[in-house]
Amino acid sequence: MSSRALSVRADRDTAGVTHVRARTDDDAYYGAGYAQARDHLFQMDLVRRRAYGRRAEILGADAADDDALVRIVGIPQLGREAAAATKSKAPARHRHAEAWAAGV
């Protein structure tokens, strides 16, 4: 993301539903990442750790076999390859993913 000022709001209505309002798509994705992390950061961290085969770091030895399988199959490398392909083949989608991640 650039260092420019963002124009985004992520508010909840009376029912607790988050609404993201932004001037640009990039700002909206940033706000969506922020709103999701605000409510689900632990879950997101657990999913990230699973994708990298690193859940045993917080869950203990019971998760080690699953971590090993993820690493043997090569899920982290597949993720890096998918991100690189998106960057070259769908730059707008990649930019939106980067904006979302910056919001997180």
Side-chain angles (χ1 to χ4, degrees), residues 85-102:
T86 301
K87 187 174 185 177
S88 65
K89 295 179 183 176
R93 185 175 297 163
H94 180 79
R95 190 181 72 250
H96 293 158
E98 291 285 321
W100 178 87

Side-chain angles (χ1 to χ4, degrees), residues 39-86:
D39 296 335
H40 304 283
L41 189 58
F42 178 76
Q43 177 187 11
M44 294 168 72
D45 184 53
L46 199 56
V47 170
R48 179 186 61 83
R49 287 175 184 275
R50 175 120 202 269
Y52 281 99
R54 299 181 65 169
R55 287 188 319 150
E57 293 174 354
I58 59 170
L59 299 179
D62 288 345
D65 287 344
D66 187 59
D67 284 352
L69 179 62
V70 166
R71 291 178 185 194
I72 289 168
V73 171
I75 300 299
Q77 181 60 32
L78 292 172
R80 286 188 290 274
E81 290 169 5
T86 301

